[in-house]
Each structure stands twice: as structure tokens, then as C-alpha cells.
Amino acid sequence: MPTELERPVVGPEHQLPAPPDSAKGTETPHQRGWVRILMWVLLLGVFGLGFWWVLRKHEDTAAKPAGGRGAATGPVNLTTTTAQKGNIGVYLDAIGTVTPVYTSSITSQVNGIVTKVYYKEGQIVHKGEPLIDIDDRPYVATLTQAQGTLQRDENVLGQAKMDLERYRDAWNRNAIPKQTLDDQAKLVLQTEGTVKLDQGMVQYDQVQVDFCHIKAPITGRVGLRLVDPGNVVQSSGTLTLAVIAQIQPITVIFTIPEDSLSPVQDRLHKNAVLTVDAYDRGNQKKIASGKLLTLDNQIDTTTGTVKARGQ
């Protein structure tokens, strides 16, 4: 038996190579710096890409029209023209008031009871159309009496004229004195005066009857109904039965500064047609166009303006 244990001898050719540093679980400071830089670059890239995407969506939304489609792109047509000399209109802005040319407030000229109302509120009535009827029976009776008196006196006048002719024939034959002929001539004149008086009474009573049938004096729009059948009206004129305002044509009254009075008057004296445009209260919508009719003959010294009327 050997006395000592034999140890294997390991030479350099039998030694294993040493493991690398990465296998030991440790990193060098140089490697850790590159890792941080790479992480920051990636993070900034992500933020930059998100910002670009949001900005692109915002631009697309702003470029789209209200219909949802993209903005139309294409060639734009340009038209060229030659510049010319001309006059530029001078405009004066003012606040105006719409005023009818005619406004008729109808009242009763006789006393009586309203029997019928023909018009409707807001109706367009024409000149001569019936509006209101008042009981005319008392006035018709008075007219009949006046006509009877006229007829009687006309016959009396006719008889007097016949007698005058007989007296003239008798005077020519020297059958009657001259005084009798003159008296008969004056009697004829007196009877003619009586007949004229009777004719005036007939005409007056006829007018009273006509007043019982009120007609539209002008063409225009009637306002609200102010009386009803059965109402008693008086000839004092304190009660308005209807109001009619002419609306076609219609006028607008406005004011212009006194500094602009001279050029406007010069144009009117030359028979120039000056256009007047009427706009709404917001000065956005044009209601109608017309022409300037006339200027007032007085200047308001408190405001330094003059009134004008446009149709």
C-alpha cells in the first residue's frame, strides 16, 4: 500500500477559461450611461410622435368645412377688367319714422243708432266702400217733408208766372193798371225765393240722410273696430268710428344734418331723383326703396337738423 495519497496534477492546459464580467451580475459605469441615454431618446421619441399626431388631427379638423368634407382644392378663376372713372354715391344715414300720406279718423255727423258695421279689423278698404250705417229713418222723414214743401211752392210759382203773363196781356190791352202788373211781377220773384229756400232744405236733408251711410273717404287699411251695432253716436265728433291709414304709397320722415342741406337742395333744384332706402331696426335687411320727395322749410335749431320726406 502506498504511504501518500496521489494528487492529480493539473497543468495549464487543463484550466477552464474565466467567465466574462456580465456573468458576474455587475455593470460598468460606462454601460449604465449609455442605457440612460437610450431610454431618454426613446421617451422623447414617444412624446414627439404623440404631439405630431395631435397636431395633425387638429389641422385636419380645422381644414374641414361645415358639411364634413375636406376643403375643396382646385384652380381659382380670375377675371380682369379695366379701371374706369366714375362717381361714388354719397350716403346719409338717419333714423326715420314711417308715416302714412293720409290718415282719416272717421266720426259721425248725425245723431243716431249704429245699425250695421261693414268693415273688418285690418281690412283693406277702397274709396267709396260702405263702412257704417246709422239709422236714417228720422232724416228720411224730414227729407220727405222738405220735398213736399218744395213741390207745393214750385206749383205756386208756376201759377204766379201764369198770372203774370195774363196781366201782361191785359196791360197791353190797357185792361188793368200798371200797379197790378208790377205787384204780380214782385209776387213771382217772392215765390221764386221761396222755392230756392225749399230746394236748400231738401239738399240739407238729403245730406243728413247721406251722413247716415258712412263710406271710406280714402283707400287704405282700417284699424280696430271701435263701434258695434246698437251703439248710439252723436254729431259732436268726440267718438271715433274708424281710422283708415293709406299704406300704398307710404312715406318715411327722417332728419339730415344742416351741413348736408345745401348739396341735397342743389340736387333737388336740378330735378335729380335722390334714392331713399329703408332698413329695419338692426340696419341689416332692406325693407323698401323709394325717392326723396321734399325737405322741410325750417331747421331745428336744438338739433341742427332738417326734416325730409321720402316716398
Side-chain angles (χ1 to χ4, degrees), residues 134-259:
I134 300 175
D135 188 7
D136 61 350
R137 290 176 297 176
Y139 303 98
V140 171
T142 305
L143 175 61
T144 303
Q145 293 177 357
Q147 290 174 345
T149 303
L150 174 63
Q151 184 178 1
R152 181 197 62 188
D153 292 339
E154 285 178 345
N155 292 325
V156 172
L157 176 61
Q159 183 180 0
K161 289 182 177 180
M162 291 172 58
D163 293 340
L164 179 60
E165 292 296 330
R166 295 190 185 99
Y167 288 160
R168 285 176 178 173
D169 294 340
W171 164 252
N172 292 330
R173 298 190 304 269
N174 294 324
I176 59 174
K178 184 69 167 54
Q179 181 180 0
T180 303
L181 178 62
D182 294 340
D183 291 342
Q184 185 62 31
K186 296 300 181 181
L187 181 61
V188 170
L189 295 178
Q190 292 178 7
T191 309
E192 287 179 349
T194 303
V195 171
K196 288 185 178 180
L197 180 63
D198 295 340
Q199 291 175 348
M201 293 300 300
V202 171
Q203 293 177 0
Y204 176 79
D205 293 336
Q206 183 63 55
V207 170
Q208 298 299 307
V209 174
D210 294 339
F211 280 156
C212 294
H213 306 282
I214 300 176
K215 299 180 181 180
I218 59 175
T219 299
R221 183 183 296 275
V222 68
L224 300 179
R225 188 175 61 190
L226 303 178
V227 292
D228 295 318
N231 295 152
V232 178
V233 296
Q234 303 292 332
S235 60
S236 58
T238 57
L239 177 62
T240 301
L241 305 182
V243 177
I244 301 176
Q246 178 180 336
I247 61 175
Q248 185 64 34
I250 201 166
T251 62
V252 177
I253 295 179
F254 55 94
T255 58
I256 61 176
E258 58 181 344
D259 296 337

Side-chain angles (χ1 to χ4, degrees), residues 74-102:
V76 178
N77 297 326
L78 298 179
T79 303
T80 60
T81 184
T82 304
Q84 299 178 356
K85 293 182 179 181
N87 296 327
I88 299 178
V90 179
Y91 295 90
L92 300 177
D93 295 334
I95 298 177
T97 303
V98 178
T99 305
V101 179
Y102 298 110

